[in-house]
Amino acid sequence: MTLENISCQKSFGGWHKRYRHHSSTLSCDMVFAVYLPPQAEQGAKLPVLYWLSGLTCTDENFMQKAGAQRLAAELGLIIVAPDTSPRGDDVPGDPDGAWDFGKGAGFYLNATQEPWARHYRMHDYVVQELPALIEANFPVSDKRGISGHSMGGHGALVCALRNPGRYQSLSAFSPISNPMSCPWGEKAFSRFLGEERSRWREWDACALLAEAREKLPILVDQGDRDDFLEGQLKPEALQSAAQAAGHPLTLRLQPGYDHSYYFIASFIDDHLRHHAEALRG
């Protein structure tokens, strides 16, 4: 598969690069970013952390705002940040032009309903196509971690829970924990998956925890001044589901923090170390 390098900047001794490629899974061109720490030029095969961003974001938000490169360079972690949805003139978005559905809001699932089924297969893209592309073109090992923010936190949880053994580490910032029971999730699921709610359970972290075959430890940070805390994110539902399933979850409610990248930048080092410990082990 052809990769087109569209930008390249040196950072903390490594390189931040953006690439464009055609995705057969999504039937459109996609852009992703990769941070290659200095060890990548020394012949080592390095573990990869996949970062999934939230509503309205692209591959650029995390790489520009989270401040992850310094510690990633020290730890020898490659970071890969895909876009949040398929893009292009042929890709349908929200029919009303709303920001919380469609382009920039793919919800990391595989749509089954028209007109979205052809393009909105972000789960398969993140779990299968993109890692195959990364592993064919960059000096990576078979050790993978996954993390994300908000809608991307939901995506990280679901990707790991649906694919036991695929990832060795998992974390999230402010995830949409119970999308079956919040406005963002209900809107997305009803359109992408149809009105039959039993099908929604396959894409809801709380439902998946009850049946998880792998007890991969989860680290979650959530700000207590997050405007979306009660109506959309519902971390208490995730905690209850984990407790009921006996699934290891560290949920930290951080006083004074909101939903922004100021919050993510404040705790990203903890998450990188969480992943590095599991991936290097």
Side-chain angles (χ1 to χ4, degrees):
M1 187 180 297
T2 302
L3 285 180
E4 177 191 358
N5 181 220
I6 55 179
S7 69
C8 180
Q9 293 85 28
K10 194 157 190 179
S11 177
F12 293 97
W15 293 93
H16 168 262
K17 300 183 179 184
R18 299 181 75 219
Y19 290 90
R20 181 182 293 112
H21 73 104
H22 182 78
S23 167
S24 59
T25 301
L26 305 177
S27 299
C28 66
D29 286 349
M30 291 293 286
V31 172
F32 68 87
V34 57
Y35 176 69
L36 300 167
Q39 297 90 331
E41 295 183 330
Q42 300 168 8
K45 288 191 175 255
L46 304 176
V48 184
L49 175 62
Y50 290 88
W51 173 270
L52 307 183
S53 292
L55 290 164
T56 75
C57 291
T58 68
D59 64 284
E60 295 185 281
N61 297 74
F62 177 81
M63 291 298 197
Q64 293 180 2
K65 297 180 179 180
Q69 290 89 344
R70 178 191 58 79
L71 188 56
E74 178 183 324
L75 296 172
L77 278 179
I78 291 175
I79 302 175
V80 174
D83 203 345
T84 51
S85 77
R87 306 277 182 176
D89 294 339
D90 295 335
V91 176
D94 187 277
D96 301 318
W99 60 271
D100 58 355
F101 178 82
K103 294 180 184 179
F107 273 83
Y108 302 103
L109 48 69
N110 292 335
T112 58
Q113 303 299 300
E114 297 301 338
W116 299 287
R118 179 186 175 207
H119 296 286
Y120 285 86
R121 301 186 61 81
M122 286 298 295
H123 177 80
D124 282 358
Y125 177 73
V126 167
V127 173
Q128 298 175 13
E129 184 178 15
L130 183 60
L133 189 65
I134 296 299
E135 289 162 18
N137 289 279
F138 299 97
V140 302
S141 71
D142 60 356
K143 302 297 184 182
R144 309 178 195 93
I146 192 164
S147 186
H149 172 230
S150 194
M151 178 186 71
H154 143 76
L157 294 170
V158 168
C159 287
L161 291 168
R162 283 174 57 97
N163 297 278
R166 184 72 173 161
Y167 303 97
Q168 286 72 52
S169 58
L170 172 61
S171 76
F173 286 84
S174 315
I176 304 174
S177 298
N178 192 196
M180 289 179 60
S181 300
C182 77
W184 282 339
E186 290 173 345
K187 178 178 182 178
F189 285 13
S190 63
R191 293 184 178 185
F192 284 139
L193 304 172
E195 297 294 342
E196 178 53 60
R197 294 180 68 93
S198 62
R199 298 176 182 173
W200 297 7
R201 295 180 57 83
E202 301 174 34
W203 306 100
D204 185 290
C206 290
L208 291 170
L209 276 171
E211 303 171 358
R213 290 181 287 142
E214 179 184 44
K215 304 295 186 183
L216 192 63
I218 306 171
L219 171 64
V220 172
D221 273 307
Q222 170 67 60
D224 73 355
R225 292 186 62 196
D226 191 319
D227 290 339
F228 306 113
L229 177 58
E230 294 183 5
Q232 303 282 8
L233 306 179
K234 302 182 182 292
E236 70 284 352
L238 186 70
Q239 188 167 50
S240 296
Q243 289 175 345
H247 198 109
L249 167 67
T250 300
L251 174 60
R252 307 191 304 187
L253 193 63
Q254 302 291 2
Y257 287 91
D258 60 14
H259 200 68
S260 71
Y261 266 86
Y262 295 108
F263 165 55
I264 294 171
S266 298
F267 297 100
I268 191 62
D269 283 6
D270 290 353
H271 285 246
L272 293 178
R273 290 191 175 96
H274 166 81
H275 289 280
E277 182 177 359
L279 296 172
R280 294 188 304 189

